[in-house]
Amino acid sequence: MENTAHPDSVLIIDFGSQVTQLIARRVREAGVYCEIVPFQSAEDGFKRLQPKAVILSGSPASTLEDGSPRAAPVLFDSGVPVFGICYGQQTMCMQLGGKVESGHHREFGRAFLEIDKDCALFDGVWSVGSRHQVWMSHGDRVTALPDGFEVVATSSNAPFAFIANEKKKYYAVQFHPEVVHTPDGAKLISNFVHKVAGIKGDWSMSAYRAKAVQAIRDQVGDKRVICALSGGVDSSVAALLIHEAVGDQLTCILVDHGLMRKDEAANVVAMFKEHYNLHLIHVDAVDRFIGELEGVSDPETKRKIIGRLFIETFEDEAKKLGGADFLGQGTLYPDVIESVSFTGGPSVTIKSHHNVGGLPERMNMQLVEPLRELFKDEVRVLGRELGLPDSFIGRHPFPGPGLAIRCPGGITREKLEILREADAIYLDEIRKAGLYDAIWQAFAVLLPVQTVGVMGDGRTYEFVCALRAVTSVDGMTADFYHYDMEFLGRAATRIINEVRGINRVVYDVTSKPPGTIEWE
């Protein structure tokens, strides 16, 4: 079966890595269409797509374990170029006659490669004798190469850090070129798809838009869709994309659950009713949500309550409309990868989300999730394609559970109001300082801690507020924003002076490497 839709494509085999989609991101950045398939269905995916190149992902598994993932033999029998990354390198070597061992020095985090020989992937990137930073994450390592391979680069703890069989166009690395912590990694992947596989870089977000619209039409047909619209970038782009596909078959529902930022619900309703021809229903569900959340302290329980109430609210609204067959959501890939293993294999659940994992069996609706394979910045590019203004596209992400997970410990209406006011002042100061667009996400957190303070002539016993700001590109990794003390002092002073209930402000300087937990 000929692949007519995307004749120049890359197939990515997922062995369960948390960052597999970052590989796809790098390939798409190079202007090349790609698809990810779990290793269990790699052969079917290969026959269907007929790719010009294959990339093997990393994995938390060990090739030395019984039943650990393997690459389908057809991938090596096909004659197409193959690039193995981390676990992908290890299984490639084992399957082609090399050797992998455990018990050697593990290597996690920053490392440096010494370039020993030239290689097609190094063209315009690295030269013999140079030294370059990469990001390692492995316990096992290759100890013997298959026939035809040679070492082209090493690190202090990985003597086979970069290997190549130039004749067969097989390349394999022990590090992760897909993550930003390997500064030249995207160029290596670009060289693989363009210079080794010979693929043109002509795929674009407009092509993704057309493909997504057609996929929605094929899925929905002439049925009704309701869309969960929060007013954030993700749900808004999803709503506009679904509307482009099915028009008046779509009804958007904004659930005001009392966990949104100050004036958020009113601003969202005003914007969409004024600028977009979407059928929008505003549901006041504050009492319903806060009534069940009050006093709940466990973050996982909060998420489950919020998820259940969202579903129940959408069910109620669907009944008022006479029924709906589909529920549209703005789920992104970081939501998915931090919530469930893509392969159903060895990787563990890191974070639960109310909007991933499917719908309850009783709910007679199917999910429409046109953004499920995209990262935040890619969604913003798609938003521009759909005509959303830059001022809206640049909004900071604010997950659906909202203030509920920015209020650790028991939730009360009073604490939520305190947090809402502090958060609004913090964002106002960020905008006044001209820092909003330099920051990927910023928010206030009301800590479950009270301290004694002296304000004027009296003593107070009030809450501590934490401020967080991070920089990120893809939502998978983040680093704290480096404010100057003058800004922090100004923001903290305003919060303490203007918000009754807070007498101390701290700044969170936690970074977020791949897979770490956010504030709960």
Side-chain angles (χ1 to χ4, degrees), residues 101-115:
E101 294 180 0
S102 62
H104 296 274
H105 195 289
R106 299 185 303 169
E107 202 170 17
F108 295 95
R110 186 177 292 105
F112 291 89
L113 286 192
E114 303 286 346
I115 309 304

Side-chain angles (χ1 to χ4, degrees), residues 138-206:
H138 66 96
D140 301 343
R141 75 182 189 191
V142 173
T143 56
L145 297 181
D147 291 341
F149 281 81
E150 63 177 355
V151 177
V152 295
T154 62
S155 74
S156 58
N157 292 309
F160 299 97
F162 202 132
I163 61 175
N165 182 330
E166 298 272 20
K167 183 177 180 181
K168 289 192 172 183
K169 297 184 178 180
Y170 289 170
Y171 303 87
V173 296
Q174 186 60 78
F175 58 90
H176 285 275
E178 68 272 34
V179 303
V180 295
H181 306 77
T182 299
D184 297 320
K187 296 176 183 177
L188 298 175
I189 293 174
S190 178
N191 277 348
F192 175 70
V193 298
H194 291 314
K195 297 185 177 182
V196 173
I199 301 175
K200 298 177 181 178
D202 56 2
W203 185 80
S204 65
M205 189 54 72
S206 62

Side-chain angles (χ1 to χ4, degrees), residues 466-494:
L467 304 180
R468 192 179 197 203
V470 296
T471 57
S472 182
V473 174
D474 47 45
M476 293 290 288
T477 61
D479 195 8
F480 67 91
Y481 185 78
H482 293 253
Y483 285 127
D484 60 53
M485 292 306 296
E486 183 179 349
F487 171 85
L488 287 175
R490 187 165 60 247
T493 298
R494 273 198 66 191

Side-chain angles (χ1 to χ4, degrees), residues 6 11 36 50 55 90 96 115 123 130 133 157 161 171 183 188 200 226 244 280 309 319 355 368 381 391 394 430:
H6 299 284
L11 182 67
I36 298 173
Q50 296 188 22
I55 300 179
Q90 295 167 10
L96 297 178
I115 309 304
D123 188 17
S130 59
Q133 178 184 312
N157 292 309
Y171 303 87
L188 298 175
K200 298 177 181 178
I226 59 174
E244 181 174 310
L280 173 60
L309 292 177
K319 289 176 184 176
N355 61 331
V368 180
V381 174
S391 59
I430 289 173

Side-chain angles (χ1 to χ4, degrees), residues 31-349:
V32 174
Y33 179 77
C34 63
E35 289 188 16
I36 298 173
V37 298
F39 69 91
Q40 299 97 323
S41 57
E43 185 169 352
D44 290 341
F46 186 87
K47 291 178 180 178
R48 172 182 55 80
L49 193 62
Q50 296 188 22
K52 294 291 180 67
V54 171
I55 300 179
L56 309 178
S57 85
S59 174
S62 169
T63 56
L64 304 176
E65 297 172 351
D66 292 338
S68 57
R70 291 290 182 269
V74 66
L75 305 179
F76 300 118
D77 297 337
S78 64
V80 304
V82 180
F83 188 10
I85 295 174
C86 200
Y87 183 93
Q89 182 201 54
Q90 295 167 10
T91 194
M92 174 190 285
C93 286
M94 284 193 70
Q95 292 182 239
L96 297 178
K99 188 176 181 180
V100 175
E101 294 180 0
S102 62
H104 296 274
H105 195 289
R106 299 185 303 169
E107 202 170 17
F108 295 95
R110 186 177 292 105
F112 291 89
L113 286 192
E114 303 286 346
I115 309 304
D116 300 321
K117 294 184 179 180
D118 202 7
C119 166
L121 269 61
F122 296 166
D123 188 17
V125 184
W126 292 342
S127 58
V128 175
S130 59
R131 187 171 183 263
H132 302 277
Q133 178 184 312
V134 296
W135 191 261
M136 292 284 187
S137 180
H138 66 96
D140 301 343
R141 75 182 189 191
V142 173
T143 56
L145 297 181
D147 291 341
F149 281 81
E150 63 177 355
V151 177
V152 295
T154 62
S155 74
S156 58
N157 292 309
F160 299 97
F162 202 132
I163 61 175
N165 182 330
E166 298 272 20
K167 183 177 180 181
K168 289 192 172 183
K169 297 184 178 180
Y170 289 170
Y171 303 87
V173 296
Q174 186 60 78
F175 58 90
H176 285 275
E178 68 272 34
V179 303
V180 295
H181 306 77
T182 299
D184 297 320
K187 296 176 183 177
L188 298 175
I189 293 174
S190 178
N191 277 348
F192 175 70
V193 298
H194 291 314
K195 297 185 177 182
V196 173
I199 301 175
K200 298 177 181 178
D202 56 2
W203 185 80
S204 65
M205 189 54 72
S206 62
Y208 184 92
R209 172 184 178 179
K211 175 174 175 282
V213 166
Q214 188 57 52
I216 294 167
R217 288 173 180 162
D218 292 343
Q219 181 185 6
V220 171
D222 60 356
K223 303 294 176 56
R224 181 186 293 276
V225 186
I226 59 174
C227 184
L229 182 64
S230 70
V233 176
D234 309 336
S235 66
S236 299
V237 171
L240 290 178
L241 197 60
I242 295 170
H243 186 259
E244 181 174 310
V246 300
D248 291 342
Q249 295 166 235
L250 171 69
T251 298
C252 293
I253 298 174
L254 172 66
V255 178
D256 185 354
H257 45 41
L259 304 171
M260 301 174 80
R261 285 175 151 157
K262 187 175 182 179
D263 300 328
E264 186 87 1
N267 292 338
V268 169
V269 171
M271 183 186 72
F272 274 91
K273 286 190 173 181
E274 184 176 337
H275 298 290
Y276 299 99
N277 188 28
L278 296 178
H279 182 209
L280 173 60
I281 298 173
H282 178 202
V283 181
D284 183 350
V286 174
D287 289 341
R288 184 177 194 173
F289 277 76
I290 304 304
E292 287 211 33
L293 286 168
E294 247 180 326
V296 176
S297 59
D298 179 67
E300 190 68 15
T301 303
K302 291 178 187 177
R303 289 179 181 274
K304 289 179 178 177
I305 290 172
I306 293 167
R308 174 174 57 79
L309 292 177
F310 263 117
I311 295 300
E312 291 175 359
T313 304
F314 291 134
E315 283 182 306
D316 293 344
E317 293 305 313
K319 289 176 184 176
K320 294 177 185 178
L321 293 168
D325 300 279
F326 296 91
L327 174 64
Q329 291 190 152
T331 308
L332 305 191
Y333 188 74
D335 298 329
V336 176
I337 203 63
E338 292 188 340
S339 305
V340 63
S341 166
F342 181 83
T343 64
S347 58
V348 297
T349 297

